[in-house]
């Protein structure tokens, strides 16, 4: 009986079609692999990073409420300033772009990983969809960025909302 109770939620999801609808698509990386999903975040981490490293390459993805066009200017920088994993002294203005057929803002900056204190490079994108926005943040220690940047760029550019 207990086993049937555990399978019931899966059956309900399959029946509703929710199991077949992925929230997004992301290409596989050679070094970047799924590490965790929780509190609305999907986190990919660098498999090649040394065990116990204070900072590693990572890609953070989160769905957000839709951001209306009038509120988009400065939205990405405001969001980054309030994220706990990073501290920035200054952020450049975001560049308007298009991604997956949707408007987007993108910026790249150096910051400090928190609480490690390790200098990091952060490339962030906010993709503005009609039903939700997507926040994508690639980061790596400054010393590791040149080796990870091509893969992180490919992953960011390959992101597709579900």
């Amino acid at each position: 009986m207990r086993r049937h109770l555990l399978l019931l939620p899966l059956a309900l999801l399959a029946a509703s079609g929710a199991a077949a609808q992925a929230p997004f698509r992301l290409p596989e990386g050679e070094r970047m692999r799924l590490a965790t999903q929780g509190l609305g975040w999907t986190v990919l981490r660098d498999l090649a990073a040394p065990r116990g490293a204070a900072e590693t390459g990572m890609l953070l993805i989160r769905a957000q409420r839709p951001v209306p066009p009038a509120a988009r200017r400065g939205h990405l920088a405001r969001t980054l300033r309030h994220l706990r994993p990073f501290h920035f002294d200054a952020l450049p203005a975001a560049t308007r772009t298009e991604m997956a057929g949707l408007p987007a803002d993108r910026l790249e900056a150096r910051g400090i990983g928190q609480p490690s204190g390790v200098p990091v490079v952060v490339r962030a994108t906010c993709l503005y969809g009609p039903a939700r926005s997507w926040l994508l943040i690639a980061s790596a220690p400054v010393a590791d960025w040149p080796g990870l940047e091509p893969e992180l760029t490919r992953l960011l550019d390959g992101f597709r909302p579900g």
Side-chain angles (χ1 to χ4, degrees), residues 68-89:
R72 292 177 184 169
R73 183 174 302 282
H75 171 76
L76 182 56
R78 284 189 304 274
T79 300
L80 288 176
R81 281 190 188 92
H82 292 97
L83 288 179
R84 287 187 211 166
F86 310 106
H87 171 75
F88 301 97
D89 286 331

Side-chain angles (χ1 to χ4, degrees), residues 117-141:
V118 173
V120 295
V121 175
V122 173
R123 182 176 296 160
T125 301
C126 190
L127 180 63
Y128 303 111
R132 69 176 53 142
S133 294
W134 296 91
L135 181 61
L136 299 104
I137 303 170
S139 73

Side-chain angles (χ1 to χ4, degrees), residues 13-106:
L13 280 174
S16 71
Q21 185 179 24
F24 58 83
R25 288 180 293 147
L26 188 69
E28 282 288 311
E30 291 180 27
R31 290 178 58 176
M32 303 300 292
R33 300 287 181 180
L34 181 66
T36 190
Q37 290 180 302
L39 302 174
W41 290 96
T42 297
V43 180
L44 286 76
R45 287 208 179 264
D46 180 8
L47 291 177
R51 185 175 283 263
E55 287 289 337
T56 66
M58 65 180 170
L59 179 60
L60 307 168
I61 304 168
R62 183 180 179 118
Q64 302 178 314
R65 290 186 208 131
V67 179
R72 292 177 184 169
R73 183 174 302 282
H75 171 76
L76 182 56
R78 284 189 304 274
T79 300
L80 288 176
R81 281 190 188 92
H82 292 97
L83 288 179
R84 287 187 211 166
F86 310 106
H87 171 75
F88 301 97
D89 286 331
L91 288 168
T95 302
R96 293 282 162 130
T97 187
E98 186 176 292
M99 188 172 148
L102 296 171
D105 284 334
R106 180 173 279 179

